[in-house]
């Protein structure tokens, strides 16, 4: 049995490879929830839904968000009636989010709701929200002061200097610690180290549980750049180098193995001074073969 820690883009790509070669019912995924929010009556747990749709082969791989081939009838009508929405929600995806809000209102926990929804989609893997509590995430920028995370991403296109990333302190959901404890291996996919993974490893008891396990991480960096998104800006704000070496530093108290890209081979020895084992391979996941090859590396 394995546990994967995930955000909503890099790790789901790796999950596509892992699920091809590892029994799905033995996969647990602990998913970031700090970016969750209510919008237009729905509860948006974007990373959870992306992981759920990835297992169900429904994910829109162009955006790593929403359901492929979805329609946008409700969104278009809302805009016609004068309601603007920050996030672009398709109709079928919106139903997932509306159902979450309805069930939360009825008193179910997010963990219970995710279990119900993933069962309906025929997903055999276990998907665990890192927390059942509500949280907030804001970005302190030089240009605009403190702004909402989604405004940073969508309104400002990440085009600002990040001074600080702030998110709420929440408690782990009931299955988080026991799932890590009973896993043979814990895999950190190449997700954003600051906004996707750090919130999970900061949960009470998680770091201690990880220290007892074999932990392998895939770096989301090549050289000084992230494959996509604002991970570099966030690493800087926390005083870490924007590179695989920075990732090794961030995870050093528990990490056994770091997987870095072929293009970073020259840094292997330097990183091995921080992390006991460094594996150099192709970490750019474009095709399903890339994903399966990387999955083999992390599983073996
Ligand atoms: P978010 O929740 O949408 O921010 O997504 P994640 O945190 O799961 O993933 C974002 C990270 O995935 C970024 O830092 C990217 O550098 C990384 N990423 C995206 N595609 C790839 C890829 O093909 N290979 C690797 N190694 N990293 C990737």
């Amino acid at each position: 049995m394995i546990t994967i820690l995930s955000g909503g883009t890099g790790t789901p790509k790796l999950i596509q490879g892992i699920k091809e070669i590892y029994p799905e019912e033995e996969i647990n995924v602990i998913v970031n929830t700090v970016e969750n929010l209510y919008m237009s009556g729905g509860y948006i747990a974007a990373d959870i839904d992306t992981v759920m749709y990835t297992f169900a082969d429904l994910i829109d791989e162009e955006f790593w968000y929403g359901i492929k081939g979805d329609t946008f009838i409700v969104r278009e009508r809302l805009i016609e009636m004068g309601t603007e929405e920050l996030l672009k929600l398709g109709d079928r995806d919106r139903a997932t989010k509306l159902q979450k809000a309805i069930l939360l209102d009825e008193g179910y926990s997010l963990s219970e709701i995710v279990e119900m929804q993933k069962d309906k989609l025929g997903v055999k893997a276990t998907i665990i929200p890192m927390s059942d509590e509500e949280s907030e995430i804001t970005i302190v920028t030089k240009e605009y002061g403190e702004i909402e995370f989604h405004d940073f991403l969508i309104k400002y296109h990440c085009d600002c200097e990040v001074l600080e990333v702030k998110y709420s302190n929440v408690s782990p959901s009931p299955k988080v610690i026991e799932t890590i404890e009973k896993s043979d291996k814990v895999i950190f996919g190449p997700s954003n180290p600051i906004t996707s993974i750090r919130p999970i490893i900061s949960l009470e008891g998680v770091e201690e549980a990880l220290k007892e396990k074999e932990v392998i991480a895939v770096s989301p960096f090549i050289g000084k750049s992230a494959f996509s998104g604002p991970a570099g800006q966030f690493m800087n704000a926390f005083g870490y180098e924007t590179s695989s070496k920075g990732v090794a530093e961030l995870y050093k108290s528990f990490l056994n193995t770091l997987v870095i890209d072929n293009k970073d081979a020259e840094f292997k020895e330097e990183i091995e001074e921080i992390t006991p084992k460094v594996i150099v391979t192709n970490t750019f996941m474009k095709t399903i073969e890339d994903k399966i090859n990387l999955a083999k590396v992390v599983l073996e």
Side-chain angles (χ1 to χ4, degrees):
M1 197 173 99
I2 55 167
T3 292
I4 303 169
L5 268 50
S6 185
T9 306
T11 305
K13 291 183 190 176
L14 180 62
I15 288 174
Q16 288 181 321
I18 292 178
K19 80 186 186 71
E20 291 299 312
I21 58 170
Y22 195 83
E24 193 181 310
E25 53 280 6
E26 290 184 34
I27 303 175
N28 303 283
V29 190
I30 300 174
V31 190
N32 170 40
T33 59
V34 291
E35 296 156 20
N36 291 4
L37 75 162
Y38 279 93
M39 194 191 80
S40 303
Y43 186 72
I44 319 275
D47 290 356
I48 288 175
D49 290 352
T50 293
V51 170
M52 200 162 71
Y53 298 152
T54 298
F55 278 108
D57 291 327
L58 290 173
I59 186 69
D60 182 336
E61 289 184 48
E62 191 182 344
F63 304 105
W64 289 94
Y65 191 93
I67 294 177
K68 62 184 166 195
D70 212 345
T71 52
F72 290 86
I73 298 166
V74 175
R75 177 175 168 81
E76 282 156 20
R77 188 69 192 126
L78 282 172
I79 293 171
E80 279 165 14
M81 293 192 298
T83 297
E84 292 290 337
E85 286 181 322
L86 191 63
L87 301 172
K88 198 174 166 206
L89 297 186
D91 297 317
R92 293 166 72 209
D93 182 37
R94 189 183 296 271
T96 307
K97 284 145 173 77
L98 287 174
Q99 189 183 53
K100 278 199 186 67
I102 293 165
L103 293 171
L104 282 168
D105 195 45
E106 286 176 10
Y108 291 97
S109 71
L110 184 60
S111 294
E112 290 167 334
I113 296 165
V114 171
E115 201 163 326
M116 290 182 228
Q117 290 190 325
K118 70 102 191 168
D119 279 350
K120 280 270 177 221
L121 290 175
V123 173
K124 296 193 208 85
T126 304
I127 301 174
I128 305 164
M130 63 170 244
S131 179
D132 284 336
E133 293 172 7
E134 291 210 20
S135 47
E136 253 187 58
I137 176 165
T138 55
I139 311 294
V140 183
T141 67
K142 195 173 166 195
E143 296 82 354
Y144 311 106
E146 189 165 342
I147 56 178
E148 294 295 327
F149 181 71
H150 289 90
D151 283 340
F152 170 79
L153 288 182
I154 299 164
K155 207 163 140 190
Y156 299 103
H157 307 287
C158 309
D159 190 16
C160 20
E161 188 179 327
V162 177
L163 304 175
E164 213 183 329
V165 180
K166 292 186 184 174
Y167 47 78
S168 327
N169 254 334
V170 288
S171 314
S173 67
K175 277 185 168 176
V176 168
I177 305 291
E178 62 169 66
T179 303
I180 294 175
E181 283 174 351
K182 60 185 193 209
S183 289
D184 303 312
K185 186 179 244 194
V186 181
I187 299 165
F188 290 23
S191 277
N192 188 317
I194 301 295
T195 50
S196 293
I197 303 292
R198 193 172 177 274
I200 307 177
I201 59 183
S202 311
L203 294 168
E204 197 181 346
V206 169
E207 197 171 335
E208 288 66 29
L210 289 173
K211 282 180 184 164
E212 304 300 317
K213 291 285 144 186
E214 192 202 335
V215 183
I216 179 163
V218 179
S219 173
F221 290 101
I222 287 191
K224 302 258 181 252
S225 310
F227 280 82
S228 59
Q233 285 153 284
F234 295 158
M235 290 288 279
N236 270 335
F238 276 78
Y240 291 103
E241 198 177 286
T242 305
S243 66
S244 296
K245 187 179 169 196
V247 175
E249 289 282 359
L250 177 61
Y251 300 154
K252 79 172 172 201
S253 68
F254 50 77
L255 190 66
N256 303 102
T257 308
L258 182 65
V259 182
I260 62 170
D261 194 78
N262 287 327
K263 293 201 175 102
D264 275 353
E266 62 184 298
F267 305 113
K268 182 176 190 283
E269 279 168 27
E270 195 185 337
I271 300 172
E272 269 169 349
E273 284 171 24
I274 309 163
T275 300
K277 189 171 172 198
V278 176
I279 298 176
V280 182
T281 188
N282 173 44
T283 65
F284 184 29
M285 292 176 282
K286 232 176 149 185
T287 64
I288 186 66
E289 288 76 28
D290 296 335
K291 292 166 187 172
I292 292 173
N293 286 338
L294 190 55
K296 282 183 185 155
V297 170
V298 297
L299 289 171
E300 286 160 15

